[in-house]
Amino acid sequence: MNKLEFNIRLYLTGVMKSWTDRIDNTGKETPQRFILNAMTELFDSLSDDDIELIRLRYVERLTLSEVSSRYLLNEHTVRNHTNPTVKQVKEIIKKATEQAQHARDVD
């Protein structure tokens, strides 16, 4: 499982919030809190249908073909509804990783 899939699964199952709450009690924005806040903002902006497509792909681990069949959509349509979000999650993870590296370099 890659970082992208791992973070989406953590977020959609609610585990990310509980872990972040346990890790982050300093009041400072940690990389974990940054990811949680950014993903919350992102997922709050999505329709329920788009979240469901992402959930099926990354939590249920269905293939594009399986998701397409379940909703009677073609694979291109599923990609169009999921890829922009996946791209944004990648950017969120990248930015948090860069922030964490910078914090380590400063210390």
Side-chain angles (χ1 to χ4, degrees):
M1 180 180 326
N2 62 36
K3 283 184 188 180
L4 171 73
E5 184 177 350
F6 181 69
N7 279 280
I8 291 173
R9 291 179 71 143
L10 285 178
Y11 183 82
L12 291 178
T13 60
V15 173
M16 182 181 283
K17 178 162 180 21
S18 66
W19 282 1
T20 301
D21 288 346
R22 274 190 255 147
I23 292 169
D24 179 18
N25 57 11
T26 64
K28 292 171 33 179
E29 186 173 72
T30 61
Q32 295 86 358
R33 179 66 62 188
F34 172 81
I35 290 172
L36 175 65
N37 291 343
M39 287 185 68
T40 297
E41 186 176 321
L42 173 61
F43 279 84
D44 283 352
S45 73
L46 300 177
S47 71
D48 290 343
D49 290 338
D50 286 348
I51 292 171
E52 178 63 9
L53 294 175
I54 292 167
R55 189 189 68 73
L56 291 172
R57 286 282 290 134
Y58 292 96
V59 177
E60 300 297 324
R61 300 183 90 170
L62 299 181
T63 65
L64 277 173
S65 178
E66 291 167 330
V67 173
S68 299
S69 295
R70 185 175 285 191
Y71 283 94
L72 304 175
L73 300 169
N74 66 47
E75 288 183 24
H76 183 72
T77 301
V78 173
R79 269 194 214 97
N80 283 343
H81 284 270
T82 58
N83 281 358
T85 301
V86 169
K87 184 177 179 181
Q88 286 179 287
V89 171
K90 285 180 183 178
E91 286 299 315
I92 290 167
I93 294 166
K94 179 181 175 191
K95 187 171 182 180
T97 302
E98 289 169 354
Q99 286 177 349
Q101 183 61 45
H102 177 72
R104 280 191 292 274
D105 292 346
V106 169
D107 289 340

